[in-house]
C-alpha cells in the first residue's frame, strides 16, 4: 500500500473532499439543519401603523461567495449578516442605516460585495465586509435598482433599474461603461461564460439576449414569453410579471422567475418555451391572506427561485413558506421556428419541503455544497438527512444475516 501523499514540509495532506451527485433521493431528504430565529431585528414598536400591518421584517436577498463557504443576507432591518456555510455559525453583522441594503452580490473576493441602496439615493455601493467600509460608489441610476448581477468571469457587473435603463460597470471605475435604454423596468442575468447577457422587459414580455462584446448593437435574439395555458384560466389572461432571470449552469436554458404562481424554463438558443413550473404560491403579495391585485406586480418576488449547480433541479420559495423542488432533467427538446401557441410541459414538484412560518422569499442552492439556504422572517440551512440512509444500511445488514 503506498504511503499517503505528503506536502513539502512532510505533513500528510488532507484527503480530497468527497463529491456527492445530486439525485431525486437526496433532494427529497433535505431537512432544516439549522434555523436562525434572530436573523432579522423585529419591527420596533414606534413604527407607523401602516408598516406594522405588513407583519415581521424579512430578509430580502442572499448571496454566496464563489466557493460556497459563506452566505450573506440583506434584510429590511438595514443589516448585512454573514454566516459560515461549513460551521453553520453567524460570523458578523454590519449595518447600513444611512443607505439601506438590497441585492448584495459577492464579487470574486470573499470580503467584498456590491449592493443596491434603498434610501438616500439609487447609488450602487462597493462594500468591504472586512472593515465595513465603502470602497467605491457607482452613480448614474435615477430610480431604484431592482436587478444586480456580477459577471462570472471578471470584475464587471450589471444593474437594471426602474429608471428603465441597464448599466454595465467595472469595479475598477466609478462611471458606467455601457448604457441600454429600454421601454420598461428591466431585469438582467449573465450566462455562465460571461460572454452573453439577458435583459427581461416587463409589460412587453420580451427577453433580449446580447453579446457582451457588442452590447451597443441590437440583441442577437429576442424571445417572447407567452404562455397559452393562461388563457385557459381567465380571459384575457393575466399578464406574466418577470422578477428574475438566470441561465442554467450548463448554459442550455433560461429560468424565468415570476411573481405569479408559475416560473418558466426557456431554451437559451432559440427561445422555445419548454416548461411551466407549478405547485408553489407566488410572492406577489406579502402575506397569504392579502387580496390579489388586478394588475400583476413584483411584490416580494425576485430572489426565490434558482438552479442547482448541476442544472438538474430548480428550487423555489413560496408565499406559504414551503420549499419547492422540481426535477428538470427531462425537459422537451424543441427546434426550428418558435411556436407561441405551443403549450409548455407543466411540471409538478418532485418534492415540497415544509419551510418557514411566513413566506420563503429567498431560496438559493449552494454553488459547491449539498445545501439550500432559505430565508424570510428567519434564515434556514438545509442539508440532506443521512439518518434515513443509516437505517436502510442497518436493515440490509440484518437481512444478510
Amino acid at each position: 500500500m503506498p504511503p499517503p501523499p505528503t506536502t513539502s514540509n512532510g505533513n500528510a495532506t488532507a484527503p480530497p473532499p468527497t463529491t456527492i451527485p445530486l439525485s431525486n433521493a437526496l433532494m427529497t431528504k433535505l431537512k432544516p439543519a439549522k434555523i436562525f430565529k434572530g436573523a432579522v431585528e423585529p419591527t420596533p414598536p414606534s413604527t407607523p401603523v401602516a408598516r406594522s400591518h405588513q407583519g415581521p421584517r424579512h430578509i430580502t436577498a442572499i448571496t454566496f461567495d464563489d466557493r460556497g463557504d459563506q452566505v450573506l443576507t440583506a434584510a429590511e432591518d438595514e443589516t448585512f449578516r454573514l454566516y459560515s456555510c461549513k460551521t453553520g455559525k453567524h460570523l458578523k453583522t454590519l449595518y447600513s442605516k444611512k443607505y439601506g441594503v438590497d441585492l448584495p452580490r459577492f464579487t470574486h473576493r470573499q470580503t467584498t460585495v456590491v449592493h443596491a441602496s434603498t434610501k438616500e439615493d439609487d447609488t450602487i455601493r462597493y462594500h468591504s465586509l472586512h472593515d465595513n467600509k465603502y470602497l467605491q460608489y457607482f452613480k448614474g441610476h435615477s430610480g431604484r435598482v431592482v436587478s444586480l448581477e456580477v459577471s462570472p468571469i471578471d470584475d464587471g457587473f450589471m444593474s437594471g433599474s426602474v429608471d428603465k435603463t441597464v448599466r454595465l460597470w467595472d469595479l475598477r471605475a466609478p462611471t458606467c461603461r455601457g448604457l441600454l435604454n429600454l421601454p420598461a423596468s428591466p431585469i438582467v442575468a449573465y450566462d455562465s461564460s460571461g460572454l452573453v447577457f439577458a435583459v427581461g422587459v416587463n409589460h412587453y414580455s420580451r427577453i433580449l439576449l446580447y453579446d457582451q462584446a457588442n452590447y451597443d448593437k441590437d440583441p442577437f435574439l429576442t424571445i417572447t414569453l407567452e404562455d397559452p395555458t393562461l388563457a385557459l384560466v381567465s380571459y384575457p389572461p393575466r399578464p406574466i410579471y418577470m422578477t428574475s432571470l438566470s441561465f442554467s449552469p450548463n448554459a442550455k436554458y433560461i429560468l424565468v422567475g415570476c411573481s405569479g404562481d408559475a416560473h418558466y424554463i426557456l431554451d437559451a438558443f432559440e427561445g422555445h418555451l419548454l416548461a411551466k413550473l407549478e405547485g408553489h404560491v407566488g410572492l406577489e403579495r406579502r402575506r397569504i391572506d392579502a387580496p390579489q391585485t388586478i394588475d400583476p406586480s413584483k411584490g416580494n418576488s425576485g430572489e426565490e427561485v434558482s438552479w442547482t449547480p448541476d442544472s438538474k433541479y430548480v428550487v423555489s420559495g413560496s408565499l406559504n413558506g414551503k420549499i419547492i423542488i422540481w426535477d428538470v432533467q427531462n425537459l422537451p427538446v424543441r427546434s426550428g421556428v418558435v411556436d407561441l401557441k405551443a403549450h409548455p410541459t407543466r411540471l409538478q414538484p418532485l418534492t415540497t419541503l415544509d419551510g418557514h412560518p411566513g413566506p420563503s422569499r429567498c431560496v438559493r442552492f449552494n454553488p459547491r455544497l449539498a445545501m439550500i439556504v432559505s430565508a424570510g422572517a428567519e434564515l434556514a440551512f438545509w442539508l440532506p438527512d443521512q439518518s434515513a440512509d443509516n437505517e436502510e444500511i442497518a436493515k440490509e445488514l440484518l437481512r444478510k444475516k
Side-chain angles (χ1 to χ4, degrees), residues 328-340:
V328 295
Q329 297 177 71
N330 299 303
L331 294 173
V333 177
R334 291 182 182 167
S335 60
V337 178
V338 174
D339 180 5
L340 296 178

Side-chain angles (χ1 to χ4, degrees), residues 342-357:
H343 285 211
T345 299
R346 298 173 76 164
L347 287 183
Q348 296 303 313
L350 166 70
T351 186
T352 299
L353 308 172
D354 286 328
H356 295 270

Side-chain angles (χ1 to χ4, degrees), residues 121-125 137-141 167 169 174-176:
D121 57 23
D122 303 296
T123 299
I124 298 166
R125 293 178 161 81
Y137 297 99
F138 301 96
K139 297 182 179 182
H141 283 300
R167 289 178 181 266
W169 311 84
T175 52
C176 80

Side-chain angles (χ1 to χ4, degrees), residues 186-208:
I187 50 173
V188 296
Y190 286 99
D191 82 333
S192 53
S193 72
L195 303 177
V196 169
F197 66 87
V199 177
V201 186
N202 277 308
H203 307 304
Y204 297 85
S205 295
R206 297 291 191 276
I207 299 169
L208 315 174

Side-chain angles (χ1 to χ4, degrees), residues 58-77:
H58 290 165
I59 291 168
T60 59
I62 53 180
T63 179
F64 288 101
D65 65 17
D66 284 353
R67 297 192 306 191
D69 291 342
Q70 298 180 143
V71 64
L72 182 75
T73 67
E76 290 172 340
D77 61 3

